[in-house]
């Protein structure tokens, strides 16, 4: 994402501000300067966003303890987002990572209550009281068991101890969607913002459910189980014209280019149809080939295909070309496994 600026690092985690967030803050301070809102409100809003960053840092910090790599924390006008790799499927890990955020808000509220109770806040009493209240609200709001919000993740972790990751996700995501719809309906009558949050929760719950379903269906399946063995390969020294004729007869979209015993590139129908007919395959092929190993988990091949936006990957074993695996192969396998699971359940 390029619409953000990196402002500082805490414990090695970069914190980034989205430009829309900066505009919002600027807007609020201009309003305060012009006298439309109080300076106290502007300061309170600033403090709340600082708190949101601390909340996300707490999640990230605990996650790092479980070996999760943290990419960054991004601050948007609607709140903070920790961009981290997938949380390990250890219920205790997810529980602690998720509860760290709301606990931080409770801790801040407790710290702020001390000077208020000691009556030493003077003219800042109003601000301190509001800041305390906001932190308690943030803690309570995040603890609503609407997956994928913190409370929903805590619920999934507790359920996962008893019934396994997949079933726990199913229940937590369903509950998350019900609460999301409820929030949106409530939003129609009370606050437009709730509709937006409901929508985010609904989409988030569905996405995480699908991702968990896919990784659970593909658990234990390796690339070798699904790949096409002995793939049709192409000779680097034939012309594009000859290659296109070859493609018409074989009807695949991509071919490893093999010279002797070695794969030296990959060429797709698109590479060929865009190229001059008299050139050689060697000149139009892609040389930097992304490959997978035949022993790799199928899910990691799917992630590679998705993240690099590729259609197929050559499969290697002992340094030699063993097969080819395409996105279509994986989706077909997924559908088969999904049907099998549904039949089992009915
Ligand atoms: Zn949180």
């Amino acid at each position: 994402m390029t619409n953000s600026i990196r402002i500082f690092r805490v414990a090695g985690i970069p914190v980034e501000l989205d430009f829309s967030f900066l505009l919002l803050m600027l807007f609020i301070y201009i309003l305060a300067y012009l006298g439309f809102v109080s300076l106290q409100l502007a300061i309170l809003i600033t403090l709340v966003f600082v708190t949101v960053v601390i909340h996300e840092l707490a999640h990230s910090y605990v996650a790092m303890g479980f070996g999760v790599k943290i990419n960054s924390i991004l601050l948007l006008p609607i709140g903070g987002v920790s961009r981290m790799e997938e949380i390990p499927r250890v219920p205790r890990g997810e529980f602690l990572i998720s509860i760290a955020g709301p606990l931080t808000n409770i801790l801040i509220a407790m710290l702020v209550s001390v000077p208020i109770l000691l009556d030493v806040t003077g003219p800042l009493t109003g601000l301190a009281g509001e800041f305390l209240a906001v932190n308690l609200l943030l803690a309570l709001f995040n603890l609503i068991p609407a997956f994928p919000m913190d409370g929903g993740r805590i619920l999934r972790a507790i359920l996962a101890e008893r019934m396994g990751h997949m079933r726990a996700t199913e229940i937590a995501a369903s509950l998350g969607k019900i609460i999301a719809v409820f929030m949106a309906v409530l939003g129609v009558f009370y606050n437009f913002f709730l509709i937006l949050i409901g929508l985010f929760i609904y989409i988030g719950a569905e996405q995480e459910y699908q991702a968990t379903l896919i990784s659970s269906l593909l658990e234990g399946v390796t690339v070798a189980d699904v790949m096409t063995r002995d793939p049709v390969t192409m000779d680097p020294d034939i012309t594009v014209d000859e290659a296109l004729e070859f493609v018409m007869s074989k009807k695949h979209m991509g071919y490893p280019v093999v010279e002797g015993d070695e794969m030296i590139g990959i060429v797709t129908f698109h590479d060929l149809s865009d190229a001059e007919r008299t050139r050689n395959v060697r000149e139009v092929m892609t040389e930097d080939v992304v490959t997978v190993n035949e022993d790799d988990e199928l899910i990691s091949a799917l992630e590679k295909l998705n993240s690099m936006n590729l259609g197929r990957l050559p499969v290697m074993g002992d340094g030699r070309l063993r097969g080819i695996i395409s996105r279509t192969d994986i989706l077909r396998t997924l559908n088969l496994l999904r049907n099998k699971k549904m039949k089992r359940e009915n």
Side-chain angles (χ1 to χ4, degrees):
M1 213 187 270
T2 49
N3 305 350
S4 62
I5 56 165
R6 182 167 296 194
I7 44 168
F8 53 83
R9 280 172 170 275
V10 185
I13 306 161
V15 178
E16 294 172 12
L17 298 183
D18 192 79
F19 278 124
S20 59
F21 170 79
L22 289 175
L23 282 177
L24 176 78
M25 290 313 285
L26 188 67
F27 182 63
I28 288 167
Y29 276 93
I30 289 173
L31 286 184
Y33 179 75
L34 295 175
F36 289 111
V37 299
S38 67
L39 182 61
Q40 183 171 319
L41 181 64
I43 295 173
L44 180 67
I45 291 171
T46 314
L47 282 176
V48 170
F49 278 112
V50 172
T51 308
V52 169
V53 171
I54 297 174
H55 174 114
E56 293 303 324
L57 278 170
H59 285 309
S60 299
Y61 194 74
V62 178
M64 279 161 71
F66 285 92
V68 179
K69 195 175 161 286
I70 314 293
N71 298 322
S72 67
I73 289 171
L74 176 67
L75 198 53
L76 297 157
I78 52 153
V81 186
S82 296
R83 292 189 285 203
M84 52 175 94
E85 283 180 348
E86 203 191 347
I87 295 169
R89 283 199 207 165
V90 188
R92 201 175 70 95
E94 180 164 47
F95 180 83
L96 292 175
I97 293 167
S98 306
I99 209 163
L103 278 185
T104 309
N105 291 114
I106 292 171
L107 188 72
I108 293 173
M110 281 162 64
L111 287 175
V112 176
S113 74
V114 174
I116 296 178
L117 290 173
L118 293 175
D119 203 10
V120 294
T121 40
L124 294 176
T125 309
L127 181 64
E130 283 167 356
F131 186 51
L132 189 154
V134 166
N135 269 286
L136 286 181
L137 273 177
L138 276 175
L140 283 178
F141 184 73
N142 277 293
L143 285 173
I144 295 173
F147 186 80
M149 280 177 33
D150 295 342
R153 290 188 184 282
I154 292 168
L155 175 69
R156 173 170 77 174
I158 294 170
L159 292 175
E161 295 265 22
R162 289 160 184 75
M163 55 184 75
H165 192 70
M166 187 60 230
R167 187 85 188 102
T169 308
E170 221 162 40
I171 294 174
S174 300
L175 182 63
K177 286 187 200 167
I178 292 169
I179 296 176
V181 170
F182 186 70
M183 270 188 192
V185 171
L186 217 63
V188 173
F189 296 105
Y190 296 104
N191 191 334
F192 173 75
F193 207 54
L194 276 177
I195 303 177
L196 211 66
I197 295 173
L199 198 68
F200 268 103
I201 293 175
Y202 195 97
I203 294 169
E206 177 60 20
Q207 277 178 346
E208 292 223 12
Y209 169 69
Q210 287 298 338
T212 309
L213 180 64
I214 287 173
S215 61
S216 117
L217 285 174
L218 295 185
E219 203 172 340
V221 183
T222 64
V223 170
D225 296 332
V226 176
M227 70 183 186
T228 306
R229 283 167 200 279
D230 305 317
V232 182
T233 60
M234 203 170 286
D235 184 336
D237 295 316
I238 62 173
T239 64
V240 169
D241 207 28
E242 288 165 329
L244 279 169
E245 218 162 283
F246 186 68
V247 170
M248 291 308 163
S249 68
K250 298 295 179 190
K251 299 189 176 60
H252 293 298
M253 291 302 282
Y255 302 83
V257 182
V258 174
E259 187 168 47
D261 251 356
E262 200 194 345
M263 179 179 63
I264 56 168
I266 190 163
V267 74
T268 66
F269 174 68
H270 286 287
D271 299 334
L272 294 166
S273 58
D274 289 346
E276 258 175 70
R277 298 297 164 99
T278 49
R279 299 181 77 189
N280 279 340
V281 166
R282 190 190 298 275
E283 296 169 299
V284 300
M285 69 182 188
T286 307
E287 280 177 56
D288 290 324
V289 187
V290 183
T291 62
V292 281
N293 201 284
E294 58 182 348
D295 300 327
D296 285 351
E297 294 264 346
L298 191 60
I299 186 85
S300 72
L302 181 63
E303 278 159 10
K304 233 179 205 174
L305 285 166
N306 284 341
S307 70
M308 299 183 154
N309 201 17
L310 294 168
R312 64 201 59 73
L313 295 168
V315 181
M316 309 298 285
D318 297 326
R320 297 185 51 173
L321 180 68
R322 287 297 162 96
I324 194 161
I325 190 155
S326 71
R327 192 195 297 265
T328 328
D329 296 334
I330 301 179
L331 295 184
R332 197 185 303 127
T333 305
L334 258 175
N335 272 333
L336 282 171
L337 291 169
R338 207 188 297 247
N339 289 341
K340 218 161 113 190
K341 179 177 184 279
M342 272 159 65
K343 278 209 186 106
R344 248 205 327 267
E345 280 169 3
N346 288 337

